[in-house]
Amino acid sequence: MPYTFIRQPRARHKQFVPIGYAAERVYHRKQSVIMATAGSARIIHARLLRSAIALAVVAMPMRASALDSAKTLSQYVRRIWQVQQGLPQASIDALLQTHDGYLWLGTQTGLVKFDGVRFTTVDEVDGLSMKDIRVTRLLEGRDGTLWIGTSQAGLIRIQNGKAHRFVRRDGFPSDSVQCLVGDSADNVWACTPNGLVEVNGDTVRAFGAGDGLAMAVRTACTTRNGTIFVSDESGAISTWDRRRFAPAVTQLAEPTVAQTMLCASDGTLWIGASSGLFHLVGDREERITAADGLADNGVLSLAEGDSGDIFAGTKNGFSRVRGREIETFLPQDGLSQSTVFALLEDREGSLWVATKHGLNQFLDGVTTSYTTSEGLPSNQTGPVLQDSRGTVWAGTLGGGLGRFDGHRFTTLTIAEGLASNTIYALAESRDGDLWMGTAAGLNRLRDGHVVGTWTTRQGLPGNIVRALYRDHDGAIWIATSGGLAVFRDGELHAVADGHQKHVESILAIGGDRRGHLYLAPEGESPLLRQADAVFEDEDGLLWIGTLGQGLRLVDGGRVFAFSELDGLFDDAIYGIAEDDHGKLWMACSKGIFSVSRDDLRQFAAGSRRRIVSTPYSPLDALRTVECQPGVQPVVSRARDGRLWFSTIRGLLVIDPNHLSRSFAPPSVVVEDTTVNGERQAPGAIGALAPDRNNVEFSYTGVSFVVPNRITFRYQLEGFDKAWVDAGTRRQTVYTNLPPGQFRFRVSACNPDNTCGEATSAVAFEIEPRYYQRSWFLPLSAAAFGLLVWSGYRLRIRQLRTKFDLILAERGRIARELHDTLLQGFAGITMSMQALTSRLPASATRDTLEEIVADAGQSLREARRSLSGLRSRPDSPAGLVATVTRIARHLTEPKDVRLKLALNDPHTELPADIEYNLLRIAQEAMVNAVKHSGARTLNVSLESTRERLRLSVNDDGAGFDETNGPPAGHYGLIGMKERAAQIGAIFELTSIRGQGTTVSVLLES
């Protein structure tokens, strides 16, 4: 047969190298299309096939990462999603990864979207219900249009959020879609039981028997240049020549029903049928069956990996074909179920396998595991050691000794001369021989063959050999259940001295370059209590791992202890090794961890308060790592720097020089927005009313390698001044946002700090309330100013109205005084003058003339007051002029000396203030001239911008202030009242016999 395979326990495998990308039942990565359906097939004419597919190799885009083809399928990290892990429906018919990174699943009950963490069921699109529809095919167009083929609901197109369904009653040939293919013009071809259909926009064109096809079309595939190959129910394979379908000229040698077809990137054609996998290369046909290592003859799905590997899903697991070798992964190897409906390699290099009962993911880890699937004799491994020739030896606890040459394991057991299949210790002597301690004696191997065996019959102290150690002189020390022995100079010697009782049942043995030997007995020992590993580093420091007592350091004559309380990952340490970066790697009961050797020494010196341990965490959270106790060595450093660990589930290899794996930045998608509790599409927010200012964003990072370790940061431009770290949280809420324009941006980062940002930010605007708009404050200020001005004008109008009323009242009083008091007073005066003229000259006449004079004077004063009532306050008289005139009028007839010191006020005085000041001055001067007998009258007016003082001083008789003025004199009271009315301070100073001073002080 042209293909070979390697049969191993529970696995048949070889490795292969994918060249291109194609996915069964998937249109993926722009033009790449591979669809799987059922049907018969004939071989395509070699020249036609080569010319149609050749361009695919040149045009094929390459992915940044792919599965490491050097690993077997069982060495990949595996994850399984079933209903228990959140998968809505476990039976999956189709797989598709869209340009935004999402993985879409077509299930028996509908459509499901997966971002690596959450499965989301698509129940409705644009009013079209997607519930309880069996999705059998999925395809994405170059413009992002999603095409969904169903078993009974026709073809569904989802474009820009709008859904349209093509069904039989609307002219579509059938409601059952068996394949979907996209061509170079982005048209969609659908296989149906009633022929092949081309969909161009909303135009449907059907092809059937008259176009060179049988009625039922089962499967199809397309090349990179858009050439379409079709297999119908007759078993013929045809190609589209843009006018009709031309049949091929060659028949398959083995009659069969084609299930799926793959146009590979190397120009060949793969056909999955019910009788095996057919590979058509030029004019040559090759058939691969279960006898050649294929998982099963019933091939249901095909896909091509980025490295050119061909994946074939069957009814009993799936196989990988690389070159001439086949590797198979079966349900008993850990697949969720036997029937593989779809296969897909995503953009991060993970392989997805969809079965009838779950979704399986295969991805690379930073470690490599070896189990029975890779040929290891048993997963219960014991000691592991790489010899000077580069061969890795792995002892097992019951399965014998495994020998790994870099490609495959071979096994040695008691049939090849081993003392026992349970092996506890390994060591290499200077001559390159391998020494092996077993449960039933000691073996020596040379070139893979047993050349010596020692038991108690040959002088070994005990048959159970727990530890081996080669010292710096080349001697092999042997710790047995019966004591200590040494093999030196070709002879075995039991160590039997006074310390023999302390070295029985030794658990571990080691030494240093100074020739000291360290033994760890099962009994109590101050230094080696519960020791299980002894390791000397490159500086000659001795490190001792214990079973529950932590780690110890022997530095010269000092011993230091480290435990979990100090930051050590585990207190049960089974083995120790050192890498090239100054780190100690330790195998423990909780797995594997590393610690900086410098940190440990600093902690021992007291310059560091805590130890930092770095545990190894597998990508698969369901996978646990526990190292094997009681074997020596449990960890071994290979010549290439890799570390081999023995675990209870096989061997695990870690390369400290390549621990970090480079990941492509995650695709970031803002999935949903909620405004005031109402869900809205991220692109449809637009302008929001002022009260709709509570916005919630839900986002995700689409990655399938380490989805739970993706961290996020976001920024709302226009609100946040810097990026906000969100950790692993996938939503954020903003409440009471102010008015303005905003853009929500989100970025997702892998554990290696490679970050990607959402391709489009969510932009929206919150409209301001009326009082938050830019025109509100200026308008409010203008309105306030207008209000103040209007109030001022109203007040002025009110004052004018009130003043007019006052003037009217004054006019009325003046008229009354003129018509009554003045007229009567004038008549009395004239009568007295007439009487006086008739009287002869005498004292009586003189007195009467004085009375007439006084009455005349009073009449003139009354007329002046009446004139004051008649005049307006803005008359041009003025305070200084009026006071001067009154003072001179009073003093001239009385021969009183007048002194005036009057200054014009700096500011114009209100009419009422000026009037009251005038009346106060007038009253004071009248009192001084008529009643005090004064010879001198001083009148002064002092004025500044802040104050005004009016004073009237005389040198008359004065009076006693304590007694006040004589009864019946009310002038003083009137002056005080007038001063209080204008808010002035009235001051009176009078000394009997020395005169009187009246002063009025007015302050602004």
Side-chain angles (χ1 to χ4, degrees):
M1 299 298 294
Y3 284 83
T4 60
F5 69 94
I6 298 175
R7 188 182 300 274
Q8 295 180 344
R10 300 180 60 189
R12 311 163 190 163
H13 69 92
K14 266 291 189 174
Q15 298 181 354
F16 62 96
V17 181
I19 297 175
Y21 176 76
E24 182 267 342
R25 301 177 177 137
V26 175
Y27 177 71
H28 179 52
R29 298 186 63 208
K30 296 184 178 178
Q31 296 95 344
S32 174
V33 180
I34 298 297
M35 305 306 302
T37 57
S40 302
R42 293 180 180 176
I43 190 167
I44 302 175
H45 190 272
R47 182 178 302 172
L48 176 63
L49 182 62
R50 283 197 300 270
S51 62
I53 300 180
L55 292 177
V57 180
V58 179
M60 193 178 90
M62 295 302 293
R63 199 185 345 255
S65 60
L67 289 174
D68 183 0
S69 296
K71 293 182 179 180
T72 65
L73 291 174
S74 58
Q75 287 179 316
Y76 296 132
V77 176
R78 300 187 298 276
R79 299 173 183 155
I80 297 178
W81 284 271
Q82 295 175 315
V83 175
Q84 297 87 336
Q85 288 76 40
L87 186 63
Q89 218 285 336
S91 185
I92 304 168
D93 289 334
L95 292 174
L96 168 68
Q97 187 179 31
T98 49
H99 68 280
D100 54 10
Y102 281 107
L103 188 68
W104 293 82
L105 316 177
T107 73
Q108 291 186 355
T109 59
L111 185 64
V112 177
K113 183 172 66 173
F114 184 43
D115 65 358
V117 175
R118 298 170 298 186
F119 291 94
T120 303
T121 302
V122 181
D123 293 330
E124 181 180 323
V125 178
D126 190 30
L128 177 63
S129 176
M130 300 291 294
K131 292 182 178 180
D132 299 324
I133 294 178
R134 180 166 185 171
V135 177
T136 57
R137 304 292 182 266
L138 291 170
L139 172 71
E140 185 186 23
R142 275 180 271 176
D143 60 353
T145 300
L146 182 64
W147 296 86
I148 304 168
T150 71
S151 62
Q152 294 180 340
L155 177 64
I156 300 174
R157 180 186 65 197
I158 300 176
Q159 185 177 31
N160 299 325
K162 301 296 182 181
H164 179 75
R165 189 166 67 168
F166 299 88
V167 292
R168 188 167 186 173
R169 65 175 177 268
D170 298 327
F172 201 73
S174 174
D175 288 339
S176 177
V177 177
Q178 297 173 327
C179 81
L180 285 175
V181 174
D183 63 17
S184 58
D186 208 23
N187 298 323
V188 175
W189 297 78
C191 306
T192 75
N194 296 328
L196 187 67
V197 184
E198 180 191 22
V199 181
N200 182 358
D202 292 332
T203 304
V204 175
R205 185 168 60 155
F207 301 88
D211 303 294
L213 294 175
M215 185 59 67
V217 178
R218 305 299 300 274
T219 182
C221 69
T222 185
T223 63
R224 300 288 177 171
N225 67 348
T227 302
I228 302 172
F229 294 93
V230 179
S231 176
D232 58 30
E233 65 179 0
S234 68
I237 297 177
S238 304
T239 182
W240 172 248
D241 63 3
R242 303 192 183 280
R243 291 179 303 171
R244 67 188 308 275
F245 285 91
V249 298
T250 308
Q251 289 287 110
L252 289 177
E254 184 74 21
T256 186
V257 177
Q259 307 283 356
T260 181
M261 188 162 59
L262 169 65
C263 299
S265 59
D266 61 357
T268 63
L269 183 68
W270 295 81
I271 300 174
S274 58
S275 57
L277 178 63
F278 293 85
H279 188 198
L280 308 183
V281 184
D283 296 327
R284 182 165 47 90
E285 172 191 330
E286 296 175 344
R287 181 187 176 204
I288 307 170
T289 65
D292 304 309
L294 198 65
D296 189 83
N297 285 342
V299 180
L300 303 177
S301 56
L302 289 173
E304 183 178 9
D306 250 11
S307 300
D309 295 347
I310 302 300
F311 297 94
T314 75
K315 295 180 180 179
N316 188 35
F318 72 99
S319 298
R320 178 172 67 177
V321 181
R322 181 194 303 121
R324 313 300 300 176
E325 298 177 346
I326 302 173
E327 180 186 0
T328 294
F329 198 87
L330 303 175
Q332 52 265 40
D333 297 321
L335 200 64
S336 63
Q337 199 267 341
S338 58
T339 307
V340 177
F341 287 131
L343 295 158
L344 168 67
E345 188 177 285
D346 67 22
R347 289 195 291 268
E348 294 175 304
S350 295
L351 176 67
W352 296 88
V353 182
T355 73
K356 188 183 289 186
H357 194 60
L359 180 65
N360 304 261
Q361 182 187 13
F362 293 75
L363 68 157
D364 279 331
V366 295
T367 62
T368 304
S369 62
Y370 294 91
T371 63
T372 54
S373 298
E374 288 73 46
L376 195 67
S378 170
N379 287 338
Q380 280 289 338
T381 53
V384 59
L385 176 70
Q386 185 185 48
D387 63 20
S388 57
R389 298 182 181 89
T391 302
V392 176
W393 300 88
T396 67
L397 303 182
L401 179 67
R403 176 182 179 180
F404 185 65
D405 60 4
H407 300 285
R408 58 179 61 86
F409 279 97
T410 56
T411 302
L412 283 76
T413 64
I414 56 176
E416 285 75 37
L418 298 186
S420 171
N421 286 337
T422 299
I423 302 167
Y424 294 124
L426 292 174
E428 184 183 15
S429 58
R430 283 183 174 177
D431 57 7
D433 289 351
L434 182 69
W435 291 79
M436 184 172 59
T438 75
L442 177 68
N443 285 122
R444 183 177 187 178
L445 278 71
R446 182 177 299 151
D447 298 328
H449 301 285
V450 177
V451 296
T453 301
W454 290 265
T455 65
T456 53
R457 293 181 180 181
Q458 287 80 30
L460 200 64
N463 283 335
I464 301 177
V465 180
R466 306 292 300 194
L468 297 171
Y469 170 68
R470 187 186 78 186
D471 64 18
H472 288 273
D473 296 328
I476 302 295
W477 292 84
I478 308 155
T480 76
S481 57
L484 185 66
V486 61
F487 190 88
R488 181 184 290 119
D489 299 330
E491 296 183 359
L492 180 69
H493 304 279
V495 179
D497 56 16
H499 300 285
Q500 176 71 25
K501 62 180 180 179
H502 297 296
V503 295
E504 294 180 356
S505 302
I506 297 172
L507 298 177
I509 186 170
D512 58 28
R513 61 191 62 180
R514 292 182 294 274
H516 297 151
L517 188 68
Y518 296 86
L519 307 175
E522 288 185 336
E524 297 296 323
S525 173
L527 174 63
L528 298 170
R529 182 179 301 137
Q530 294 294 310
D532 193 39
V534 180
F535 172 73
E536 184 185 20
D537 66 19
E538 60 180 11
D539 294 333
L541 300 176
L542 197 71
W543 302 88
I544 300 172
T546 70
L547 298 174
Q549 301 294 321
L551 178 69
R552 298 191 184 109
L553 166 64
V554 181
D555 186 0
R558 298 173 299 173
V559 179
F560 303 94
F562 313 90
S563 68
E564 288 187 62
L565 296 177
D566 304 318
L568 210 63
F569 181 62
D570 193 10
D571 281 341
I573 299 173
Y574 307 148
I576 307 171
E578 185 178 8
D579 65 12
D580 296 329
H581 308 288
K583 291 183 179 180
L584 295 180
W585 288 78
M586 303 183 196
C588 65
S589 64
K590 296 195 297 187
I592 299 168
F593 70 99
S594 63
V595 182
S596 170
R597 191 179 58 161
D598 290 341
D599 287 357
L600 290 169
R601 299 193 67 180
Q602 290 174 12
F603 182 85
S607 60
R608 190 179 184 89
R609 300 182 60 183
R610 189 164 180 81
I611 302 167
V612 178
S613 300
T614 305
Y616 159 71
S617 299
L619 287 176
D620 185 2
L622 300 177
R623 180 181 176 187
T624 58
V625 177
E626 180 180 348
C627 292
Q628 192 73 263
V631 298
Q632 306 293 330
V634 70
V635 55
S636 176
R637 176 177 171 174
R639 292 185 299 177
D640 59 4
R642 296 192 301 166
L643 302 176
W644 291 70
F645 290 86
S646 175
T647 76
I648 62 175
R649 293 181 178 85
L651 298 176
L652 188 65
V653 182
I654 296 178
D655 188 352
N657 298 317
H658 299 89
L659 278 178
S660 59
R661 178 183 173 187
S662 179
F663 301 107
S667 299
V668 190
V669 180
V670 180
E671 294 186 310
D672 197 11
T673 54
T674 303
V675 180
N676 282 30
E678 179 182 346
R679 296 182 61 183
Q680 291 188 230
I685 298 181
L688 300 176
D691 58 343
R692 293 171 58 81
N693 57 358
N694 299 319
V695 185
E696 177 181 349
F697 298 96
S698 297
Y699 48 84
T700 188
V702 185
S703 176
F704 303 105
V705 180
V706 283
N708 292 315
R709 301 185 198 174
I710 293 177
T711 57
F712 298 89
R713 59 177 187 163
Y714 60 84
Q715 182 183 26
L716 184 63
E717 293 181 352
F719 185 81
D720 295 325
K721 295 182 179 180
W723 288 93
V724 179
D725 290 326
T728 58
R729 181 164 45 88
R730 298 180 181 235
Q731 65 179 15
T732 185
V733 180
Y734 289 89
T735 58
N736 298 321
L737 285 172
Q741 294 182 343
F742 305 96
R743 291 176 73 247
F744 180 74
R745 301 166 56 198
V746 60
S747 174
C749 301
N750 275 323
D752 61 354
N753 291 324
T754 56
C755 302
E757 188 175 339
T759 55
S760 60
V762 179
F764 63 99
E765 177 184 3
I766 296 179
E767 296 178 348
R769 301 178 188 274
Y770 70 91
Y771 56 80
Q772 294 173 320
R773 297 185 182 274
S774 58
W775 50 260
F776 179 77
L777 287 179
L779 183 62
S780 298
F784 180 74
L786 179 62
L787 181 63
V788 171
W789 182 80
S790 300
Y792 171 76
R793 295 294 299 172
L794 178 62
R795 178 61 177 163
I796 293 299
R797 186 176 301 161
Q798 290 175 344
L799 291 176
R800 287 186 180 277
T801 301
K802 185 176 181 180
F803 192 62
D804 290 342
L805 294 175
I806 293 174
L807 292 179
E809 182 64 14
R810 290 171 64 178
R812 186 189 67 79
I813 295 174
R815 289 192 299 271
E816 293 295 330
L817 289 175
H818 181 272
D819 294 340
T820 58
L821 180 61
L822 290 182
Q823 292 296 336
F825 195 32
I828 293 173
T829 302
M830 288 187 291
S831 298
M832 291 179 67
Q833 287 177 343
L835 180 61
T836 302
S837 63
R838 295 191 185 102
L839 291 176
S842 64
T844 303
R845 182 175 176 173
D846 292 338
T847 302
L848 188 58
E849 287 179 348
E850 290 180 0
I851 293 173
V852 171
D854 289 340
Q857 180 64 30
S858 296
L859 184 60
R860 287 192 295 272
E861 289 297 330
R863 285 196 175 100
R864 279 198 294 271
S865 296
L866 182 62
S867 176
L869 288 173
R870 290 288 188 181
S871 64
R872 296 184 62 84
D874 53 357
S875 61
L879 178 63
V880 173
T882 306
V883 171
T884 301
R885 178 173 53 78
I886 294 175
R888 287 176 179 173
H889 180 76
L890 290 174
T891 56
E892 286 177 357
K894 298 297 183 179
D895 193 20
V896 176
R897 198 173 165 192
L898 177 64
K899 293 182 179 180
L900 297 174
L902 303 175
N903 297 325
D904 288 327
H906 285 76
T907 59
E908 182 179 354
L909 297 176
D912 56 338
I913 293 178
E914 186 176 294
Y915 178 77
N916 283 289
L917 288 175
L918 177 62
R919 292 308 175 209
I920 293 172
Q922 181 180 359
E923 182 67 24
M925 289 187 291
V926 168
N927 290 338
V929 173
K930 288 189 175 184
H931 305 296
S932 68
R935 295 177 177 271
T936 302
L937 180 65
N938 296 309
V939 181
S940 64
L941 177 64
E942 301 174 358
S943 175
T944 65
R945 293 187 181 277
E946 291 80 19
R947 57 192 298 171
L948 181 147
R949 180 183 291 274
L950 176 65
S951 299
V952 178
N953 173 259
D954 65 72
D955 57 356
F959 58 90
D960 188 356
E961 290 186 65
T962 58
N963 296 327
H969 292 266
Y970 300 103
L972 183 60
I973 296 174
M975 287 189 289
K976 289 182 178 180
E977 289 178 350
R978 289 184 182 277
Q981 184 177 355
I982 62 175
I985 299 173
F986 179 80
E987 297 177 353
L988 174 66
T989 304
S990 182
I991 301 174
R992 186 178 294 276
Q994 297 183 12
T996 303
T997 300
V998 175
S999 176
V1000 179
L1001 176 63
L1002 182 66
E1003 294 181 333
S1004 58

